[in-house]
Amino acid sequence: AEELEMINAVSAAFHAKDKKVTVVLNVNGVIDTTAWSDKVDSILLAYMGGQETGSAVADVLSGAVNPSGKLAQTMPASYSDVPSSATFPGTDIDGDGLADKSYYNEGIYVGYRYYTSFNKQVSYPFGHGLSYTTFAYGNTAVTSNTLATDGKLTITTTITNTGDVAGKEAA
C-alpha cells in the first residue's frame, strides 16, 4: 500500500509539470503491475542484467540503445489468476513454519499456455516488448512441414526495419 501511494504521488507531481514517468523494474520474476501501471508512462523491465544493468538501463532510457527484448514470461493481471497461487508455497508438515511439501498442480498449463487455454486476461503477454522503431514482416511462408513424420515445421519471414532508429526484432 505504501509503494502504491508513493507511485501515485510521484506520478502526479511529475505529470503536473508535464514530465514523463518511467518505472524501471530490476526484478527477477513476474510481478503484478495492475494497481499502478496506468499511472506511469512506461515500464522498463531490467530483469537480470548483471553488473552492467545500470549502464544498460541508462543507454535505453537515454535513447542511445533501442530496447529490443521481449518478455520471456507472461505477467498476469492478478496474482489470483496464477494457476499455482492457491497452493504456493506449499504445506508445512512438521510445524517449523517452512513449507515441506510443494504442489505442482499446473500440469502442462504453465505460463502462456495456462492464460491462453483458460482465456485469462494478462497485463503483458509472453513475447511483449516495445521499440523506438517499427518493423514490417513480409514474405512469410512455411518452407518445410514434416510434422507428421518427425514433428518439424520451418517458417521463414523477412523482417524490415521501417522506422528511423536502428533496432533489432525478435520474431
Side-chain angles (χ1 to χ4, degrees), residues 107-166:
I108 63 168
Y109 299 110
V110 176
Y112 70 88
R113 286 187 190 121
Y114 171 76
Y115 301 107
T116 300
S117 298
F118 294 95
N119 203 24
K120 296 284 186 179
Q121 294 293 337
V122 298
S123 292
Y124 303 99
F126 170 85
H128 178 78
L130 299 178
S131 174
Y132 295 145
T133 192
T134 55
F135 297 92
Y137 289 70
N139 303 317
T140 304
V142 175
T143 56
S144 174
N145 183 351
T146 57
L147 283 172
T149 57
D150 62 8
K152 294 182 181 179
L153 178 69
T154 304
I155 301 172
T156 61
T157 192
T158 302
I159 302 173
T160 306
N161 184 338
T162 57
D164 296 329
V165 177

Side-chain angles (χ1 to χ4, degrees), residues 5 21 36 46 55 85 106 108 135:
E5 288 178 26
V21 177
W36 53 266
S55 297
S85 64
E106 301 98 327
I108 63 168
F135 297 92

